[in-house]
Each structure stands twice: as C-alpha cells, then as structure tokens.
Amino acid sequence: MVGVGCGRAGDRIRYLHATVGKSWSLKANQYFLRGFNLDHGTDLSIKIDGMPVNMPTHGHGQGYADINFMIPELIQSVNVSKGPYYADVGDFASAGAIAIDYINGLPKNVVEITSGTFGYHRGLAAGSTTVGAGTLLAAVEGVKYNGPWDVPDNVRKINGVLRYSQGTATDGLSLTAMGYSNGWNSTDQVPQRAIDQSIIGRLGTLDPTDGGTSSRFSLSGNWARSSQYGQTKANAFVIRSSLNLYNNFTYFLDEPVNGDQFSQLDKRTVYGFNASHAFDVRAAGVETQTRVGLQMRGDDIRVGLFKTFQRDALSTVREDNVREGNVGLWADTTVRWTDWLRTTVGIREDYFSGRVTSDTPEDSGNAQASIASPKADIVLGPWYKTEFYGNAGYGLHSNDIRGATITVDPIDKMTLQDRVPPLVRSKGAELSIRTKAIDGLTSSVAVFMLDFDSDCSSSAMPAPLKPADPAAGSAWSGPTITGRRRGWRSIWMLHIPRPALPTSIRQAIASPVRRPGSRAGRLPSATRPAGSAR
C-alpha cells in the first residue's frame, strides 16, 4: 500500500479509532474496531452528510460500506461513537457509528496534483463562491494507480461534489449532488506452489481479469431551524449505486475448462428521510434536553451471483429483486442533575420489512420484524479534567433478507436451507475514564462487553447467509486504551478483546480438518496466500 496523506478516503476513519485495512482505492475498506473484524461495515454504521453508506442485502456482504466517494479535503466534522448506547443510530451500529459532515465553503480555492510510486497520480480542484444569498461549492477528484503488481491495478477513479447552501448549521439549508465512478483490476491471493514452480512471480496472478467496477450518484438536502421551541433538523436523500465484482479464489478447482471466476452484482436505488427535534426544559433548577426523531429508508435492489469467464457471464447462480424498508422512531432525555452528574435515557423502536423475488421461486417471499432498544448513560465529573462514564444499551443488527426467505439451495433446488432471523439483538455495556489532565493529550481507558444473540456465516455461493449456531451467539469483552495528542495526525490504541466464540466455531477449532497425508488443519492442495495482502 502507498501512503498518500489524506488522499486515501479511509485514512480519516483510521485516525479516528476505526482501523482500516484491505483495499486501496478499490472496493470498500475492511473495518476493525475494538478487536472486531467488521468486514466491510457489518456493525459499524457510517453516514456522510446525513446519507447512509451501509448497504443491507448487498451482493458482496451485509452492511457493505464503500467510502471511496468521499473527498477528505471537504470534511468539516467527524463524530465517532462506540457501542449500542445511542438512540439516534440503529442498524449496523452495535460496535460503533461514524457521522461525517462536509463543509459548505472553502476559505480559498484549491488545486492540487500529487504523484507517487507505482504509477500513483491524484488531482483535486475545489472552490466556492457566493451565489445570491448562499454559497456554491464544487470539487472534482481524479485518481490513477497501478500498484506493484505484474498486472497493473489500473485504478481509474473520478469523484465530484456540487453543493449550494444558505445560512448556518442550525439555521439554514443545503442541496448537494455527488457523483463517483471507479474501475480496477485486482491481484488476489495465489497458491504458493505456483510461485515455487515459477509459473508466476511473487507479484503475479493466475487470473488477470479479476477486478471490478463501482459507481455512486446521490442527491440530498439538509434543512435546520432554531426557534424558541427548540432545534428542528430534517434531511432527505436518493442514492443510485452499483458494484460489479469479479473474483477467482480457486482458479480451476471446480471448472477445469472455464475456471472458477464468479461475479457479484449489486445495483440499487436508496431513498430516505430523517427528522429530529430537540428542546430544553428547566424545572426546579434542573436542566433537561429531550430529543425525538424519525428515520425512514427504502432500498430497491437487484442482486445476483454469476459464473463468469474473463468477466463474461456463463451462467446464473442466483439472481433476486429485493424491496426492503425500515422505519425507526427514537427519543432520549439528558438530565443535568448537578455540575458533576448527568444522565441520559433513551429508547428506539425499529421496524423492518421486505420482499424477495428470486429466480428460484421457492426462495421468494416476505419477511418483517420489529425490535425495541432501550439505552442508558451516566457521566460523573469533570474533576481535574477527568470524567467517568457508564453506558449500557440494547442494539440490533439486520441480516440479509434473502436469508430470511430462503427455502432451498438455489443450485440443486432440492436441498433444504435453514432461515435466519431478519433482526438480531445485541447488548452492550461499558465503564470508562476520559481525561485531559495532560495538556494537549486526550486519553481514555474503558472496559466493555458486547453480545449478539445469534451469528451467521456469509457465503458468496450460493446462499447469502447460513446460521453458524442457532442456539448460541457470541460475546466480546475486554479493556481498551486510547490516546490522542492535539495536532497529531493519528492516535495510539491498545485493544485486548476476549471473544466468546459461538459453539460451532469452537468445535471447528477443536476438530480441524484432516486428510490422508496432510497435517492437521491444512488440506494438501489448499491455496496459501503469498505476496502482499490486499
């Protein structure tokens, strides 16, 4: 990987407690938080300018969150929260949530050109000007990158933002259009024996047509108004996104002639509306703030899995049209009992429903579910620039809705498949200390736990989700230490999570696969990664 300052969209999240790995300017990042491998966003809610980034029932993975459309130079603020303790965030937020807002204008226009090793080139032009009673902001970014591989990545990304705004964040409005397009080749893991036998080099590949294309276009509006009755905010959005990903992990294991390449397709339109109102009340010398909110979202999805040869479709493994929606109602109240004690209690109710129309009729159907999530926080302090926190709450995680309607294997049409629940309960609790006793340094120590009622394993072919253990969930607990020095670009972190694994995983570890002539836990012809991780 090449470090390019703030040119990598995921860097800004990595600096804010969510470690990002895997993928450079290709598909969505791999996210890690507090020892959790969150895949491409499974339990990390990400929003940019009020628009959700996570995609349910996605062709590559549940909660897929691709932030490559973000232009880091336009970021105004980033709000990070950890745990299922906050009423205003719902699905995909059990481990944490990140909300990113863009600026309305630039102090001066910017033109930047950056070049680096391995064919890296990035250009950025951004500026703002006064138009009528408001400000017009425009930005365009282009990236080209090849990487060190024998088959160049040939990344070709273009990104644009156009925004008109009036007023302030508390009394104003904005209308924003975004556009993003990306295409690339991908050098994935290769067999060690292919390198040992000089079939390919260490940076080579056995299938030079792996890669993908991705795009995202959106239109959103934000409105805010303050009055003697409180603060009201609303935003609406429509998003059109697509991903077509080509992978070949086993090369010629299943298909000796055409190879094992497959394509994951996801094309969708997302539309939604959010509104909230906050008001303050002072009674008997006690200050309180109450917030109430409504969140609505709908997804119209075409999702499919296909066998391919050099990116040409050979056959359909599974293809579905999905209509999925959810509505969330939430409220919380914060009471400042004294100068050193405040509490927050909140409640959230989520309702999900959807319909799957599958090319395998037996796997078509409807699914719906609802769940309530209470939360509570207490804060003591500050004393000597130090505060003590206690948090507890219930959260939720939605599953790929195709797993809630599946009946038979889409390939043989006969093998019965177990269904998964549309929604899964999560529970979390935390005790922490945060201090600024050392000037310029913010540090915290926390002990946390996070528990899920059930677990699923993802599978690209053919079923999207499979119950890992219907009778057992999983739990994580442990200490975490973080610190950040003012003016530093990154933070230092220490996470020591203690996972309680599901029964099925514990059994798999205790009973590794064995084959005649092989060592325990490794197949004699197993593919082993070589070269750099991507």
Side-chain angles (χ1 to χ4, degrees):
M1 294 175 62
V2 179
V4 291
C6 65
R8 177 63 177 112
D11 286 347
R12 289 303 173 93
I13 292 182
R14 175 164 56 87
Y15 301 148
L16 292 156
H17 305 258
T19 302
V20 179
K22 190 177 178 182
S23 300
W24 189 79
S25 282
L26 314 178
K27 59 184 181 182
N29 292 101
Q30 193 92 12
Y31 302 99
F32 301 88
L33 182 66
R34 283 187 163 178
F36 284 85
N37 180 348
L38 302 172
D39 196 39
H40 295 297
T42 308
D43 284 294
L44 178 66
S45 170
I46 302 177
K47 293 183 178 180
I48 295 181
D49 241 31
M51 293 180 289
V53 180
N54 303 79
M55 298 296 172
T57 311
H58 193 273
H60 188 63
Q62 178 70 353
Y64 185 85
D66 185 355
I67 60 171
N68 279 303
F69 68 91
M70 183 177 71
I71 299 178
E73 287 85 352
L74 300 185
I75 294 176
Q76 174 177 288
S77 64
V78 181
N79 293 310
V80 181
S81 61
K82 298 178 183 178
Y85 316 129
Y86 307 97
D88 58 346
V89 288
D91 197 14
F92 305 120
S94 292
I98 298 175
I100 299 171
D101 289 321
Y102 271 2
I103 57 177
N104 289 332
L106 289 166
K108 59 180 180 180
N109 296 338
V110 177
V111 176
E112 293 180 354
I113 297 177
T114 306
S115 293
T117 56
F118 304 122
Y120 173 78
H121 304 284
R122 179 179 185 254
L124 171 70
S128 59
T129 187
T130 300
V131 175
T135 301
L136 182 66
L137 170 72
V140 61
E141 173 198 39
V143 175
K144 186 76 172 63
Y145 177 67
N146 286 325
W149 317 104
D150 293 348
V151 176
D153 280 346
N154 193 25
V155 173
R156 46 204 185 276
K157 180 174 84 167
I158 188 166
N159 215 354
V161 174
L162 184 65
R163 160 176 281 185
Y164 180 75
S165 60
Q166 290 183 357
T168 66
T170 56
D171 273 290
L173 58 87
S174 66
L175 183 64
T176 306
M178 300 184 188
Y180 159 78
S181 179
N182 199 355
W184 64 89
N185 300 322
S186 177
T187 298
D188 291 316
Q189 66 269 20
V190 295
Q192 180 68 52
R193 61 187 180 277
I195 298 176
D196 295 340
Q197 297 172 16
S198 299
I199 298 174
I200 58 173
R202 187 174 68 90
L203 302 178
T205 179
L206 293 176
D207 194 335
T209 63
D210 282 359
T213 59
S214 180
S215 67
R216 180 190 182 278
F217 301 91
S218 66
L219 182 65
S220 63
N222 291 276
W223 175 85
R225 187 69 64 212
S226 297
S227 70
Q228 60 180 331
Y229 303 107
Q231 171 76 50
T232 303
K233 294 183 179 181
N235 81 296
F237 56 85
V238 60
I239 304 167
R240 178 65 177 171
S241 71
S242 69
L243 174 71
N244 206 341
L245 195 62
Y246 300 89
N247 285 305
N248 189 345
F249 300 134
T250 53
Y251 300 106
F252 294 95
L253 179 65
D254 297 324
E255 296 287 344
V257 177
N258 292 320
D260 299 346
Q261 188 184 75
F262 61 92
S263 168
Q264 294 167 311
L265 172 70
D266 188 283
K267 291 186 177 181
R268 70 177 63 209
T269 301
V270 185
Y271 42 90
F273 174 78
N274 304 308
S276 66
H277 181 72
F279 58 93
D280 299 327
V281 175
R282 184 179 180 88
V286 177
E287 295 182 358
T288 66
Q289 183 184 72
T290 298
R291 302 185 305 162
V292 295
L294 167 69
Q295 298 169 347
M296 298 188 295
R297 171 177 175 170
D299 289 69
D300 192 349
I301 314 164
R302 178 191 170 206
V303 57
L305 180 66
F306 309 91
K307 293 184 178 180
T308 56
F309 172 69
Q310 297 182 356
R311 301 198 183 190
D312 290 331
L314 297 176
S315 62
T316 300
V317 177
R318 176 171 186 171
E319 187 171 10
D320 305 279
N321 290 307
V322 179
R323 295 183 66 89
E324 183 173 355
N326 68 274
V327 177
L329 293 170
W330 62 272
D332 63 21
T333 297
T334 299
V335 182
R336 296 183 178 274
W337 301 98
T338 68
D339 291 341
W340 53 268
L341 171 63
R342 66 182 185 271
T343 59
T344 301
V345 293
I347 185 70
R348 182 182 181 91
E349 178 77 20
D350 287 279
Y351 175 76
F352 285 72
S353 67
R355 175 169 179 78
V356 178
T357 304
S358 177
D359 60 351
T360 302
E362 295 87 345
D363 292 337
S364 299
N366 301 312
Q368 55 273 324
S370 63
I371 194 168
S373 306
K375 296 119 181 337
D377 306 322
I378 183 171
V379 182
L380 302 173
W383 296 293
Y384 301 102
K385 300 182 180 180
T386 301
E387 291 183 317
F388 299 83
Y389 295 81
N391 311 89
Y394 288 87
L396 72 141
H397 170 89
S398 68
N399 280 327
D400 187 315
I401 200 168
R402 293 174 295 168
T405 64
I406 194 170
T407 301
V408 299
D409 187 301
I411 295 180
D412 63 25
K413 318 293 184 185
M414 303 227 0
T415 304
L416 297 179
Q417 300 289 310
D418 293 325
R419 291 182 173 181
V420 302
L423 299 178
V424 174
R425 162 74 72 201
S426 64
K427 302 180 286 287
E430 179 175 333
L431 294 174
S432 62
I433 303 173
R434 182 181 304 164
T435 182
K436 296 182 179 180
I438 300 176
D439 187 44
L441 176 66
T442 301
S443 55
S444 64
V445 178
V447 177
F448 75 96
M449 62 80 62
L450 183 60
D451 175 82
F452 291 88
D453 282 354
S454 69
D455 287 274
C456 295
S457 61
S458 358
S459 173
M461 301 177 68
L465 289 174
K466 296 180 180 179
D469 188 346
S474 64
W476 289 74
S477 62
T480 176
I481 304 172
T482 64
R484 181 164 188 163
R485 185 78 175 178
R486 186 170 54 216
W488 284 17
R489 198 175 164 196
S490 60
I491 62 174
W492 49 267
M493 296 173 285
L494 175 63
H495 305 303
I496 313 175
R498 298 179 61 250
L501 298 176
T503 302
S504 58
I505 299 178
R506 292 198 299 269
Q507 292 173 344
I509 294 174
S511 305
V513 177
R514 295 177 182 267
R515 293 287 178 90
S518 68
R519 290 179 289 175
R522 177 178 294 174
L523 302 182
S525 60
T527 299
R528 292 161 54 195
S532 301
R534 302 294 310 287

